[in-house]
Amino acid sequence: MTITRITNLTQKDINHCDFSFEITSELEPPYDDLSKVKNFPKPFLKSYGFEESDFLSIDSDNMLAVAKTSDLICGYVLVSKTWNGFAQIDDVAVDKKFRKSGLGRLL
């Protein structure tokens, strides 16, 4: 597996990936006690989709990196520079087949 910086990412590049994830519970308001969790009676799949326009022209205030295995993308991270010069992770996704492998941490 390799991690490489790139300057754009298209839907075609990740069509083979499944970035959906299962939701089983949620934190209850006012969100100040991490032990107050509401479990759902039936888990459901969530997918945020992919807004290609966010990934087409990465400038010097942004960084886009992809993880590849056998020349296929299996994850990505998009990072931007904030007003105060700090880095902010805007988007991170790991294909379902590669989760629990440490790939998200590497990205």
Side-chain angles (χ1 to χ4, degrees):
M1 185 175 311
T2 60
I3 297 179
T4 309
R5 284 182 75 162
I6 60 173
T7 56
N8 63 59
L9 185 65
T10 66
Q11 184 66 54
K12 182 180 174 188
D13 296 328
I14 59 170
N15 272 340
H16 61 280
C17 295
D18 178 2
F19 295 130
S20 66
F21 51 95
E22 188 176 81
I23 303 293
T24 59
S25 59
E26 68 181 351
L27 194 59
E28 292 185 343
Y31 314 114
D32 58 351
D33 183 352
L34 298 180
S35 68
K36 291 184 179 179
V37 174
K38 173 184 160 189
N39 292 316
F40 295 121
K42 183 178 177 187
F44 62 93
L45 280 182
K46 176 78 175 176
S47 180
Y48 284 105
F50 179 77
E51 188 62 47
E52 190 170 286
S53 62
D54 292 341
F55 297 84
L56 290 181
S57 57
I58 303 303
D59 61 23
S60 62
D61 284 339
N62 298 286
M63 190 276 300
L64 176 60
V66 294
K68 287 186 175 183
T69 180
S70 302
D71 287 333
L72 286 176
I73 292 174
C74 52
Y76 65 84
V77 63
L78 177 63
V79 180
S80 64
K81 183 177 174 182
T82 62
W83 64 270
N84 59 4
F86 287 97
Q88 171 178 293
I89 297 174
D90 297 312
D91 203 356
V92 62
V94 174
D95 188 1
K96 191 176 271 191
K97 295 181 292 266
F98 294 91
R99 292 188 190 146
K100 305 282 185 192
S101 69
L103 177 57
R105 184 183 305 256
L106 288 172
L107 284 168

